[in-house]
Amino acid sequence: QPQLTLRLLRKPGRFVVATFSSAFAQLGLGILFVWFLDLGAVGAAMAFCLGSAVGLIASVAMSGWIWSGRFSSRLLRGMLAFGLPLVPAGLANWAVEYLGRFLLRHNAGAEETAVFVVAAQIAGILGLVFYGFQMAWGPYAFSLMQDRESAAIIFARVTRWVCLVGGVAVLSIAL
C-alpha cells in the first residue's frame, strides 16, 4: 500500500495529501451519486470505489520513486497468496460499514435506523481515537525493532495501556 509506505517512511505531509484526496473524492462523489443522481446504495458503492481509486493514484504519486522499478511475477504471487484471503473480510467490513444503514432503513424503519446512526457515531468516536493511535504506532513500532529488548518492554507497556484505556472507554460507553 502506498499510504503505508508513506507512514513507514515518516512522510506525514504526503500521507495527509494522499489520505485527504481519497476522503474528499469519496465524499464529493457520494454526494453527487446519492444525493443529486439519487443512486442510493449503488451510488454509495460507486463513490467508495472511485474515491478509493483517486486515493490510490494520489498515494502512488506522493510516493514518487519508491514505486518505480521492475515487475516481478514471483513477488506478485507471494503478495497475492498473502492478500487474497483478506479480500472477503475487507468486503464484509465495507458492506457492514456502508450498506448497514440502507438495509436497516429498508427492513426496520426510520426510528431504528436513527438509533443505529447515533450508536454508530458514538462508537465511531472511540474508533477514531484507536485509528489515530494505530496510524502513529505502526511506524514507531517498526523503528523499535532494532533493539529487541527495549522493544519488548515498550510493547508490553503500550499493550497494557491500550487495553486499560480501551477497556475503560468501552465500559463507559456501554454503561
Side-chain angles (χ1 to χ4, degrees):
Q1 291 180 346
Q3 288 182 349
L4 177 61
T5 303
L6 292 171
R7 282 183 39 231
L8 293 175
L9 293 175
R10 296 183 182 179
K11 303 283 186 188
R14 292 178 179 200
F15 177 78
V16 167
V17 169
T19 303
F20 275 71
S21 66
S22 178
F24 286 128
Q26 288 176 5
L27 177 65
L29 291 170
I31 291 169
L32 173 68
F33 293 156
V34 175
W35 193 347
F36 290 112
L37 299 179
D38 199 27
L39 295 176
V42 172
M46 289 172 43
F48 176 78
C49 292
L50 292 174
S52 295
V54 168
L56 177 63
I57 292 167
S59 297
V60 170
M62 291 289 109
S63 299
W65 63 270
I66 297 166
W67 294 97
S68 62
R70 294 186 325 193
F71 176 78
S72 168
S73 60
R74 183 183 62 77
L75 187 58
L76 177 63
R77 279 192 301 277
M79 290 188 296
L80 288 174
F82 178 77
L84 278 181
L86 301 174
V87 170
L91 289 173
N93 185 33
W94 172 82
V96 167
E97 188 172 332
Y98 289 97
L99 298 178
R101 293 178 191 175
F102 293 108
L103 295 173
L104 186 61
R105 172 98 169 121
H106 181 267
N107 293 325
E111 187 173 328
E112 290 86 356
T113 304
V115 171
F116 172 78
V117 168
V118 170
Q121 288 174 341
I122 292 170
I125 293 168
L126 185 59
L128 185 62
V129 170
F130 278 102
Y131 182 73
F133 170 78
Q134 185 181 17
M135 290 283 118
W137 172 248
Y140 180 67
F142 282 116
S143 73
L144 294 173
M145 293 310 294
Q146 287 150 353
D147 183 8
R148 292 198 182 257
E149 281 185 34
S150 296
I153 293 168
I154 292 171
F155 283 21
R157 287 181 185 161
V158 168
T159 301
R160 185 178 311 123
W161 279 103
V162 166
C163 290
L164 177 67
V165 171
V168 169
V170 169
L171 285 174
S172 299
I173 291 172
L175 300 176

